[in-house]
Amino acid sequence: MKELQDAQRAGATIDVDVLIAGAGPCGLMLANELGLRGIRCLVVDPKATTAFNPQANATQARTMEHFRRIGIAQEIRAMGLPGDHPTDIAYFTRFATHELARLRLPTAAQASEHVRGLRGAWNAAELPHRVSQKFVEAVLRRHAEARTGRPVGFGWRLVDFEQDAEGVNARVAPADGSGAAVAVCARYLVGADGARSVVRQALGIAYGGATGVQREFMGGRMFAVYLRAPTFYEQLPHDVAWMYVSVNHERRVFMASVDGQGEFAFHAAVHAHEDPSDWTHEDAKRLFAQASGMDLPVEVLSTGTWIAGHSLVADRYQQGRVFLAGDAVHLFTPTGGLGYNTAVGDAVNLGWKLASVLKGLSAPALLDSYETERRPIGLRNTNYARGFADSIGLFQTTAALEAAGAEGEALREHASAVLNEHVRREFNIPGVTFGERCDGSPLVFSDPGRIPPDAANHYEPTNNPGGRLPHAWLGGERSLFDELGFEWTVLAPPALRAEGQAMAEAGRARGLDVALRCPSEPEAAPVLDGQLLLVRPDQVVAWRGREATEAAAVWRRVACTD
């Protein structure tokens, strides 16, 4: 990065509003949020560039709504699998033998077509998208650099930092050790630098929760292989899927399609007596043949190991002017795909708050709500992921599952029932996706008596402050979310336009960017329920009421204005 290299040669200091350590989805999403608001930020990461390995492979509908809000959802949806590629999740004894269970889901093209017709729990501006994190990161990086006006500092690591009442003084240096460190003076520092977070460790903040959980599957060491099997689709004797799970007594495996053209992210459970540290590409091919039951040409692109069985959340998300986000504060077993999606939510929550304080529109106390709102969600989501991992990982198998005859058929029938129930429990999760709430936050006027139950597979839309604004398709074509302002929005029924105008003007008088919207379409009526709704920049309802008589007090609370 030229700016860092120039500063290194000149011995100069780089001044920014926010220094972000970590350029994964969380750090890059935060850079987008800040850049769109005109906040000067610098992102550094010791990696050479965005991810090569597939890593996370599922983007939830709520994350896609956030991508839509910042104008990149269509670009993301065009990446990953071809538009006509199935996104099913399917379970087999081995990929080429007995199919045990399947959840059929729409292709990307069908998702775009069908989303407007959905009602109830899945009424959303976007549906989930099966796309590898490697593609998402590339899009986020491109837009982050355009919006911040700065290239991401790949190949640079955070060395150390200290903070005082005015800001954070940090040093960053080339990850390869070439040359001196560069001083960075920032108002705030955000550690989005992963599970081994340098920032979290420097602050002395510990993880709490469960770790080292052992299961037959999704508990213990996993061997990850990024591979290319160009004839897989031709030789697969079953319908094509997005995710393939192999359930047998020899090896438990899951495999996600990366590009729909023969590239896959393959993850195999490592047995207790095995040491994968010296496994070669030939071993990777052997594991693939074992799980697939097919003799196919395979090219191994990369291998690695990771540990499943974590449900960890940091004790704190903030210390002074330093914040933690993403894997730096929560570490998941990846069942349900919740880690990456929760990390994006962290960035969205923190981004608008940092910008509001840096612009002098809100008091610094606004930033205290980040931990108050996001830590309970970290605990909630890691708990859900742990439950999904137990559901699939504790299911036991024997060699008889693959046997011919009546005994094998009976066991497969039982496995089919168990796995068909499980796949819906883990992957049909509107409650997890849309049901995050922050009722304990001082920023929201939540009604404790109207908080809907929190359930993974059920979502009850509500305009009770503290949760996502219920979605509606206006006229069957326009998303209500597209009608919102980028910052604050007052939604008012046409009959309460004057009251809505008064509420909006009270916010504008405090310097806030407040849009007033009075949708008259019948689809909006159940969302509003005859009330004014004050919607935050992150699409969370902060307040509802029928009068604007206490507007000044409302704004002081929801935005921490003086």
Side-chain angles (χ1 to χ4, degrees):
M1 180 181 176
K2 188 174 185 301
E3 180 184 21
L4 285 165
Q5 293 169 340
D6 289 346
Q8 186 185 53
R9 284 191 291 268
T13 297
I14 296 177
D15 290 296
V16 293
D17 295 316
V18 181
L19 172 61
I20 302 170
C26 183
L28 293 172
M29 185 66 176
L30 180 58
N32 273 273
E33 295 284 350
L34 296 174
L36 283 166
R37 293 177 168 93
I39 302 301
R40 300 173 305 142
C41 61
L42 170 65
V43 185
V44 295
D45 194 300
K47 300 191 306 290
T49 186
T50 52
F52 170 76
N53 293 313
Q55 298 174 281
N57 290 283
T59 301
Q60 289 181 347
R62 184 66 185 127
T63 301
M64 288 300 297
E65 286 182 340
H66 285 310
F67 290 162
R68 183 186 185 106
R69 182 177 50 79
I70 66 169
I72 65 172
Q74 288 186 343
E75 190 173 351
I76 295 289
R77 198 168 287 283
M79 305 188 78
L81 303 181
D84 61 352
H85 192 288
T87 62
D88 301 359
I89 298 98
Y91 296 73
F92 311 87
T93 51
R94 300 173 200 265
F95 304 152
T97 54
H98 304 283
E99 181 171 319
L100 300 172
R102 181 180 291 256
L103 177 62
R104 294 191 181 275
L105 294 170
T107 66
Q110 290 169 339
S112 297
E113 294 171 2
H114 296 170
V115 66
R116 289 174 176 80
L118 296 176
R119 297 295 179 265
W122 283 106
N123 186 341
E126 296 280 346
L127 289 182
H129 185 48
R130 308 307 184 189
V131 58
S132 168
Q133 180 179 322
K134 64 182 291 180
F135 300 129
V136 174
E137 284 189 10
V139 175
L140 287 171
R141 174 193 184 175
R142 184 163 59 254
H143 288 278
E145 291 181 338
R147 289 162 174 174
T148 63
R150 268 194 172 92
V152 174
F154 282 111
W156 288 76
R157 66 182 181 89
L158 176 68
V159 177
D160 53 31
F161 63 90
E162 57 183 21
Q163 61 174 314
D164 56 30
E166 301 301 319
V168 178
N169 294 307
R171 293 191 305 150
V172 301
D176 62 5
S178 61
V182 171
V184 179
C185 180
R187 299 279 299 281
Y188 296 96
L189 167 65
V190 178
D193 51 343
R196 296 179 176 85
S197 172
V198 170
V199 178
R200 189 189 71 251
Q201 293 181 45
L203 295 175
I205 296 175
Y207 274 139
T211 188
V213 175
Q214 296 296 309
R215 305 181 184 92
E216 185 78 12
F217 185 52
M218 286 299 185
R221 287 182 297 178
M222 301 286 290
F223 187 63
V225 185
Y226 182 21
L227 62 86
R228 184 178 292 117
T231 65
F232 177 82
Y233 295 114
E234 298 171 18
Q235 299 189 45
L236 180 71
H238 305 287
D239 290 347
V240 171
W242 158 64
M243 180 175 285
Y244 305 81
V245 185
S246 178
V247 181
N248 60 66
H249 72 289
E250 287 187 327
R251 184 83 57 183
R252 300 284 289 274
V253 164
F254 76 91
M255 183 176 80
S257 307
V258 173
D259 64 352
Q261 299 176 39
E263 289 189 5
F264 299 94
F266 177 92
H267 299 264
V270 177
H271 300 313
H273 65 276
E274 295 175 323
D275 180 5
S277 61
D278 59 353
W279 283 359
T280 66
H281 285 194
E282 292 305 311
D283 291 304
K285 293 177 183 180
R286 171 180 55 82
L287 293 178
F288 178 79
Q290 184 182 56
S292 67
M294 295 184 282
D295 182 15
L296 304 178
V298 173
E299 178 187 0
V300 176
L301 304 176
S302 68
T303 63
T305 58
W306 57 278
I307 304 295
H310 297 307
S311 303
L312 298 172
V313 178
D315 296 338
R316 286 173 289 145
Y317 277 39
Q318 174 191 5
Q319 185 167 306
R321 289 178 169 270
V322 182
F323 299 85
L324 299 168
D327 286 355
V329 279
H330 42 66
L331 198 58
F332 289 72
T333 294
T335 41
L338 302 187
Y340 142 61
N341 291 279
T342 305
V344 171
D346 294 342
V348 172
N349 185 285
L350 183 57
W352 73 265
K353 294 174 180 177
L354 278 171
S356 194
V357 171
L358 284 163
K359 291 180 177 181
L361 303 175
S362 299
L366 177 71
L367 298 173
D368 296 338
S369 69
Y370 168 65
E371 178 177 312
T372 302
E373 294 184 355
R374 292 304 299 177
R375 188 169 185 274
I377 290 170
L379 293 166
R380 166 195 188 260
N381 290 356
T382 53
N383 184 59
Y384 274 132
R386 182 171 62 247
F388 299 149
D390 285 343
S391 175
I392 185 65
L394 298 179
F395 177 66
Q396 299 293 313
T397 59
T398 66
L401 182 66
E402 299 183 88
E407 181 185 8
E409 290 177 3
L411 287 172
R412 289 189 291 275
E413 184 176 350
H414 171 69
S416 178
V418 171
L419 295 172
N420 270 307
E421 180 182 353
H422 163 76
V423 70
R424 284 153 180 82
R425 180 183 299 130
E426 181 179 349
F427 290 97
N428 184 15
I429 51 173
V432 177
T433 301
F434 301 124
E436 293 181 352
R437 296 191 58 82
C438 49
D439 297 290
S441 171
L443 305 186
V444 301
F445 289 77
S446 181
D447 180 350
R450 292 188 59 188
I451 299 173
D454 186 10
N457 307 111
H458 174 74
Y459 169 64
E460 183 180 323
T462 175
N463 65 14
N464 184 18
R468 164 186 175 265
L469 175 74
H471 181 263
W473 287 102
L474 306 180
E477 292 295 329
R478 293 171 16 256
S479 168
L480 173 61
F481 286 7
D482 293 344
E483 301 296 304
L484 302 176
F486 185 68
E487 300 293 356
W488 294 87
T489 305
V490 175
L491 285 175
L496 295 179
R497 178 181 290 273
E499 291 82 354
Q501 183 66 41
M503 178 61 73
E505 289 296 340
R508 292 168 188 157
R510 294 172 176 272
L512 299 171
D513 180 350
V514 186
L516 172 65
R517 300 288 185 265
C518 301
S520 59
E521 292 84 356
E523 296 88 351
V527 175
L528 296 171
D529 193 25
Q531 300 183 85
L532 304 175
L533 300 181
L534 179 51
V535 184
R536 304 190 327 187
D538 54 7
Q539 300 173 340
V540 169
V541 179
W543 171 90
R544 70 179 173 195
R546 289 186 171 85
E547 298 180 351
T549 53
E550 301 296 328
V554 169
W555 283 110
R556 277 197 298 272
R557 177 167 167 179
V558 300
C560 276
T561 58
D562 294 327

